[in-house]
Amino acid sequence: MGDVAKDLTAGTVGGAAQLIVGHPFDTIKVKLQSQPVPPPGQAPKYSGAIDAVKQTLAAEGPRGLYKGMGAPLATVAAFNAVLFTVRGQMEALLRSSPGTPLTVGQQVVCGAGAGVAVSFLACPTELIKCRLQAQSSLATTGPAVPPAPGGGAAAVAVAVKYGGPMDVARHVLRSEGGARGLFKGLLPTFAREVPGNAAMFGVYEGLKQYLAGGQDTSSLGRGSLILAGGLAGASFWGSVYPTDVVKSVLQVDDYKNPKYSGSVDAFRKILKSEGVKGLYKGFGPAMARSIPANAACFLAYEVTRSSLG
């Protein structure tokens, strides 16, 4: 099996592991990012991550935490194929001779290049996912549904705009400028994926070399790979989180009556209305997600890649 095919297969397995572990955290992150700023004197819809979890479970059940997973699940193969294959091909270009380990700096360059390529897939996928995840926090809530016979708390009826990923795509293509509408938020997606992946792959390689005591990391155990992958994922979000907030608010913004004219306008308005804190809405769930989800992704990738020879 060629290197491209190995990266495709291992990247797909790693992406699936990352998605299954991390999606509920991502749902809460997007809900917190996209909730409207409350009028003066009123509390926000969600007081924090735990409150968002409780309200989501009450209104939508456990399935609500996995809302929007269809879009990234459907594209996880392509997304991770691009990410790991471009990274692998850039490694081959930078390597002085076959089998020579790369430096941490070279891995940073490989990660940045992979980030450029993957942004074109990430943007429409993220738009669909964010619309589905955020619609309950943006929609007008209806009357409470009476509790079921036998007791229990009353649920809240939520006005649902989209029926699923394909419904979002059809709506955007029909009503929001065609294919161009699916790439709303591309600039902040680049601003997230390029430096984020540069940091992630650089930290991942640096930690592996540190734990191995040198550039040869082939003998590292699974515990070391989990540690390196988890901390690498945390470095991604720690370095670029405000750009993700800007991306999310742009992608869920109303097409006909937009609040924001673009990325810079969104950044300025968030700072003006909410301060620096507004650029870190949902940061807790994002970091809580990044460590186990990326640990699962890198471990699954490494194990699968090594098993393919």
Short mmCIF file of all heavy atoms in Angstrom, two decimals, residues 203-240:
data_model
loop_
_atom_site.label_atom_id
_atom_site.label_comp_id
_atom_site.label_asym_id
_atom_site.label_seq_id
_atom_site.Cartn_x
_atom_site.Cartn_y
_atom_site.Cartn_z
N VAL A 203 3.70 20.84 18.04
CA VAL A 203 3.69 20.40 19.44
C VAL A 203 3.69 18.88 19.52
O VAL A 203 4.40 18.29 20.36
CB VAL A 203 2.47 20.99 20.18
CG1 VAL A 203 2.28 20.33 21.54
CG2 VAL A 203 2.64 22.51 20.35
N TYR A 204 2.92 18.24 18.65
CA TYR A 204 2.85 16.78 18.66
C TYR A 204 4.23 16.17 18.42
O TYR A 204 4.67 15.28 19.16
CB TYR A 204 1.87 16.30 17.59
CG TYR A 204 1.68 14.81 17.53
CD1 TYR A 204 1.15 14.11 18.62
CD2 TYR A 204 2.02 14.08 16.40
CE1 TYR A 204 0.97 12.74 18.58
CE2 TYR A 204 1.84 12.71 16.35
CZ TYR A 204 1.32 12.04 17.44
OH TYR A 204 1.14 10.67 17.39
N GLU A 205 4.91 16.67 17.41
CA GLU A 205 6.24 16.13 17.11
C GLU A 205 7.23 16.48 18.21
O GLU A 205 8.06 15.66 18.60
CB GLU A 205 6.73 16.66 15.76
CG GLU A 205 8.04 16.05 15.28
CD GLU A 205 7.94 14.55 15.06
OE1 GLU A 205 6.84 14.05 14.72
OE2 GLU A 205 8.98 13.86 15.19
N GLY A 206 7.16 17.71 18.72
CA GLY A 206 8.07 18.12 19.78
C GLY A 206 7.93 17.28 21.03
O GLY A 206 8.92 16.87 21.65
N LEU A 207 6.67 17.00 21.41
CA LEU A 207 6.43 16.18 22.60
C LEU A 207 6.88 14.74 22.38
O LEU A 207 7.44 14.10 23.28
CB LEU A 207 4.95 16.22 22.97
CG LEU A 207 4.47 17.51 23.65
CD1 LEU A 207 2.96 17.53 23.75
CD2 LEU A 207 5.10 17.65 25.03
N LYS A 208 6.63 14.21 21.20
CA LYS A 208 7.08 12.84 20.90
C LYS A 208 8.60 12.73 21.00
O LYS A 208 9.12 11.78 21.58
CB LYS A 208 6.60 12.40 19.51
CG LYS A 208 5.13 12.08 19.42
CD LYS A 208 4.82 11.13 18.26
CE LYS A 208 5.28 11.67 16.94
NZ LYS A 208 5.04 10.72 15.83
N GLN A 209 9.30 13.71 20.45
CA GLN A 209 10.76 13.67 20.51
C GLN A 209 11.26 13.84 21.94
O GLN A 209 12.24 13.19 22.34
CB GLN A 209 11.34 14.76 19.59
CG GLN A 209 11.13 14.48 18.11
CD GLN A 209 11.83 15.49 17.21
OE1 GLN A 209 12.69 16.25 17.65
NE2 GLN A 209 11.46 15.49 15.93
N TYR A 210 10.56 14.68 22.70
CA TYR A 210 10.95 14.86 24.11
C TYR A 210 10.75 13.57 24.89
O TYR A 210 11.63 13.15 25.67
CB TYR A 210 10.12 15.98 24.73
CG TYR A 210 10.33 16.14 26.21
CD1 TYR A 210 11.46 16.78 26.73
CD2 TYR A 210 9.39 15.64 27.12
CE1 TYR A 210 11.65 16.92 28.10
CE2 TYR A 210 9.57 15.77 28.49
CZ TYR A 210 10.71 16.40 28.97
OH TYR A 210 10.89 16.53 30.33
N LEU A 211 9.60 12.92 24.69
CA LEU A 211 9.30 11.68 25.41
C LEU A 211 10.20 10.53 24.97
O LEU A 211 10.50 9.63 25.76
CB LEU A 211 7.83 11.31 25.21
CG LEU A 211 6.81 12.27 25.84
CD1 LEU A 211 5.40 11.95 25.36
CD2 LEU A 211 6.87 12.21 27.36
N ALA A 212 10.62 10.57 23.70
CA ALA A 212 11.48 9.50 23.18
C ALA A 212 12.96 9.76 23.47
O ALA A 212 13.79 8.86 23.32
CB ALA A 212 11.27 9.35 21.68
N GLY A 213 13.27 10.99 23.85
CA GLY A 213 14.66 11.33 24.12
C GLY A 213 15.49 11.52 22.86
O GLY A 213 16.72 11.41 22.90
N GLY A 214 14.83 11.81 21.75
CA GLY A 214 15.54 12.01 20.48
C GLY A 214 14.57 12.02 19.33
O GLY A 214 13.35 11.93 19.52
N GLN A 215 15.10 12.09 18.10
CA GLN A 215 14.23 12.20 16.92
C GLN A 215 13.57 10.88 16.53
O GLN A 215 12.57 10.88 15.82
CB GLN A 215 15.03 12.76 15.73
CG GLN A 215 15.32 14.25 15.84
CD GLN A 215 15.81 14.83 14.53
OE1 GLN A 215 16.69 14.25 13.88
NE2 GLN A 215 15.26 15.96 14.12
N ASP A 216 14.11 9.77 16.98
CA ASP A 216 13.51 8.47 16.67
C ASP A 216 12.37 8.21 17.65
O ASP A 216 12.59 7.90 18.82
CB ASP A 216 14.55 7.36 16.76
CG ASP A 216 13.97 5.99 16.39
OD1 ASP A 216 12.79 5.94 15.96
OD2 ASP A 216 14.69 4.99 16.53
N THR A 217 11.13 8.33 17.18
CA THR A 217 9.96 8.17 18.05
C THR A 217 9.20 6.88 17.78
O THR A 217 8.09 6.70 18.27
CB THR A 217 9.00 9.37 17.87
OG1 THR A 217 8.54 9.40 16.50
CG2 THR A 217 9.69 10.68 18.19
N SER A 218 9.80 5.98 17.01
CA SER A 218 9.09 4.77 16.59
C SER A 218 8.80 3.81 17.73
O SER A 218 7.90 2.96 17.63
CB SER A 218 9.91 4.04 15.51
OG SER A 218 11.20 3.70 16.01
N SER A 219 9.53 3.93 18.84
CA SER A 219 9.34 2.98 19.94
C SER A 219 8.39 3.51 21.03
O SER A 219 8.20 2.83 22.05
CB SER A 219 10.69 2.65 20.58
OG SER A 219 11.30 3.82 21.12
N LEU A 220 7.80 4.66 20.83
CA LEU A 220 6.90 5.22 21.86
C LEU A 220 5.68 4.33 22.05
O LEU A 220 5.10 3.80 21.09
CB LEU A 220 6.44 6.63 21.46
CG LEU A 220 7.45 7.77 21.62
CD1 LEU A 220 6.83 9.08 21.13
CD2 LEU A 220 7.89 7.90 23.08
N GLY A 221 5.25 4.19 23.31
CA GLY A 221 4.06 3.41 23.62
C GLY A 221 2.79 4.21 23.44
O GLY A 221 2.82 5.42 23.18
N ARG A 222 1.66 3.54 23.59
CA ARG A 222 0.37 4.19 23.37
C ARG A 222 0.11 5.30 24.38
O ARG A 222 -0.51 6.32 24.04
CB ARG A 222 -0.75 3.16 23.39
CG ARG A 222 -0.66 2.18 22.23
CD ARG A 222 -1.83 1.23 22.17
NE ARG A 222 -1.72 0.35 21.02
CZ ARG A 222 -2.64 -0.52 20.64
NH1 ARG A 222 -3.77 -0.63 21.35
NH2 ARG A 222 -2.47 -1.27 19.57
N GLY A 223 0.58 5.12 25.61
CA GLY A 223 0.38 6.15 26.62
C GLY A 223 1.06 7.45 26.22
O GLY A 223 0.48 8.54 26.39
N SER A 224 2.26 7.36 25.68
CA SER A 224 2.98 8.55 25.23
C SER A 224 2.29 9.21 24.04
O SER A 224 2.22 10.44 23.94
CB SER A 224 4.42 8.18 24.85
OG SER A 224 5.14 7.71 25.98
N LEU A 225 1.76 8.39 23.13
CA LEU A 225 1.05 8.93 21.97
C LEU A 225 -0.24 9.63 22.40
O LEU A 225 -0.61 10.67 21.85
CB LEU A 225 0.73 7.81 20.98
CG LEU A 225 1.93 7.13 20.32
CD1 LEU A 225 1.47 5.97 19.44
CD2 LEU A 225 2.74 8.13 19.49
N ILE A 226 -0.92 9.07 23.39
CA ILE A 226 -2.14 9.69 23.90
C ILE A 226 -1.82 11.04 24.54
O ILE A 226 -2.51 12.05 24.31
CB ILE A 226 -2.83 8.76 24.93
CG1 ILE A 226 -3.45 7.56 24.20
CG2 ILE A 226 -3.88 9.51 25.74
CD1 ILE A 226 -3.97 6.49 25.14
N LEU A 227 -0.75 11.08 25.34
CA LEU A 227 -0.34 12.32 25.99
C LEU A 227 0.03 13.38 24.95
O LEU A 227 -0.43 14.53 25.02
CB LEU A 227 0.84 12.06 26.92
CG LEU A 227 1.44 13.29 27.62
CD1 LEU A 227 0.41 13.95 28.53
CD2 LEU A 227 2.68 12.89 28.42
N ALA A 228 0.87 13.00 23.99
CA ALA A 228 1.31 13.95 22.97
C ALA A 228 0.14 14.43 22.12
O ALA A 228 0.02 15.63 21.83
CB ALA A 228 2.37 13.31 22.07
N GLY A 229 -0.76 13.52 21.75
CA GLY A 229 -1.92 13.90 20.93
C GLY A 229 -2.88 14.80 21.66
O GLY A 229 -3.39 15.78 21.10
N GLY A 230 -3.13 14.50 22.93
CA GLY A 230 -4.04 15.33 23.72
C GLY A 230 -3.51 16.74 23.89
O GLY A 230 -4.25 17.73 23.71
N LEU A 231 -2.24 16.88 24.24
CA LEU A 231 -1.67 18.22 24.44
C LEU A 231 -1.52 18.96 23.11
O LEU A 231 -1.64 20.19 23.07
CB LEU A 231 -0.32 18.10 25.14
CG LEU A 231 -0.39 17.60 26.59
CD1 LEU A 231 1.01 17.45 27.18
CD2 LEU A 231 -1.23 18.54 27.45
N ALA A 232 -1.27 18.23 22.04
CA ALA A 232 -1.20 18.86 20.72
C ALA A 232 -2.56 19.46 20.35
O ALA A 232 -2.64 20.58 19.82
CB ALA A 232 -0.76 17.85 19.67
N GLY A 233 -3.62 18.72 20.62
CA GLY A 233 -4.96 19.23 20.35
C GLY A 233 -5.27 20.47 21.16
O GLY A 233 -5.87 21.43 20.67
N ALA A 234 -4.85 20.48 22.42
CA ALA A 234 -5.06 21.65 23.27
C ALA A 234 -4.31 22.86 22.72
O ALA A 234 -4.80 24.00 22.80
CB ALA A 234 -4.60 21.35 24.70
N SER A 235 -3.13 22.64 22.14
CA SER A 235 -2.36 23.75 21.58
C SER A 235 -3.06 24.35 20.36
O SER A 235 -2.95 25.55 20.11
CB SER A 235 -0.95 23.27 21.19
OG SER A 235 -0.99 22.48 20.01
N PHE A 236 -3.79 23.51 19.62
CA PHE A 236 -4.55 24.02 18.47
C PHE A 236 -5.53 25.09 18.95
O PHE A 236 -5.53 26.22 18.49
CB PHE A 236 -5.29 22.86 17.78
CG PHE A 236 -6.11 23.26 16.57
CD1 PHE A 236 -5.69 22.89 15.31
CD2 PHE A 236 -7.29 23.97 16.69
CE1 PHE A 236 -6.43 23.23 14.18
CE2 PHE A 236 -8.04 24.32 15.58
CZ PHE A 236 -7.61 23.95 14.32
N TRP A 237 -6.40 24.71 19.90
CA TRP A 237 -7.44 25.63 20.34
C TRP A 237 -6.88 26.78 21.17
O TRP A 237 -7.38 27.91 21.11
CB TRP A 237 -8.51 24.87 21.12
CG TRP A 237 -9.31 23.99 20.22
CD1 TRP A 237 -9.27 22.63 20.15
CD2 TRP A 237 -10.23 24.41 19.21
NE1 TRP A 237 -10.11 22.18 19.17
CE2 TRP A 237 -10.71 23.25 18.58
CE3 TRP A 237 -10.68 25.65 18.78
CZ2 TRP A 237 -11.64 23.30 17.54
CZ3 TRP A 237 -11.60 25.71 17.74
CH2 TRP A 237 -12.06 24.54 17.13
N GLY A 238 -5.85 26.51 21.93
CA GLY A 238 -5.26 27.58 22.73
C GLY A 238 -4.67 28.69 21.88
O GLY A 238 -4.62 29.85 22.30
N SER A 239 -4.23 28.37 20.66
CA SER A 239 -3.57 29.36 19.81
C SER A 239 -4.52 30.12 18.90
O SER A 239 -4.18 31.22 18.44
CB SER A 239 -2.49 28.67 18.96
OG SER A 239 -3.04 27.68 18.12
N VAL A 240 -5.70 29.58 18.61
CA VAL A 240 -6.54 30.21 17.59
C VAL A 240 -8.00 30.39 18.00
O VAL A 240 -8.84 30.73 17.16
CB VAL A 240 -6.52 29.39 16.27
CG1 VAL A 240 -5.11 29.31 15.71
CG2 VAL A 240 -7.07 27.98 16.47
#
